[in-house]
Amino acid sequence: MKNYAEQNEIMYHVGLSREMLQGAEYALLPGDPGRVEMLAKAIGPAQFLAAHREYTSWLADVEGKKVLVCSTGMGGPSVAIGLEELARLGIKNFIRVGTTGSIQEHVNLGDVIINNAAVRLDGTSAHYAPVNFPAVADLKLTNALAYTAEELEIPHHVGISVSSDTFWPGQERYDSFTGYVCNALRGTLKEWQQLGALNYEMETATLFVVAQAFGLHAASICGVVAKRTESESVAPPDVYALASERFCNVVSHALHVLLREE
Ligand code: URA
């Protein structure tokens, strides 16, 4: 049984009601609350809705329909909490719009990665489905993002993410407070590279598994802000600006196409 919220019931964590979403069925999910306004205004005329914990929300008009832009904060737990509440408010399509570190030589800073699946190196998704259940993206949403990136000639790659609960040990970074990475995680960067995974980030696996467990749809697009074959560091702000211009462009065009077709 689907447990939808009453029209004016405010969800505890996201601070939103069905009434406030005005029938929106699509949500863009950046991690960073500071990215929400920019993203909302990039897709259409937009208005501020709420700011509650890590969940900042704006509502935009796209092709005569409402689209929610809501930050999730970092990592699986806050993604799952956001999805639980947004699903109850009627959101059916979730598109993560984030940043990532590439682990392949041919994937450059500023490029865009569209993930069609994710390694479940998180803890949260195991609360929704057994660990041998796959974390896969919705094909229609993913194809819309990939075709759009192709059409706009934006440097992009489609493939598997490694979604880790931690930025340092889980992504085999040694520039941490102690410099220590436990035995189980040492050598994993090389292994994911060898297996052809494209990138590290912290939310996609949880998003894919939870959306699938709900019978809903999810996709993920990220801008590359760290290139792990060269450095453990995150690149300077101009790289983020380039990546962000590119993913905004792809998401905006893809959304217009998807909503025009509905
Ligand atoms: N986000 C991550 O989780 N890792 C990176 O390297 C960059 C962004």
Side-chain angles (χ1 to χ4, degrees), residues 99-102 167 171 173 200-202 225-226 228 232 234:
T99 54
T100 190
S102 80
F167 188 81
Q171 302 185 17
R173 276 189 166 91
Y200 276 130
E201 46 73 59
M202 300 177 63
V225 297
R228 297 296 308 282
E232 292 195 350
V234 173

Side-chain angles (χ1 to χ4, degrees), residues 214-228:
F214 288 177
L216 302 176
H217 314 285
S220 180
I221 178 168
C222 291
V224 176
V225 297
K227 182 164 180 174
R228 297 296 308 282

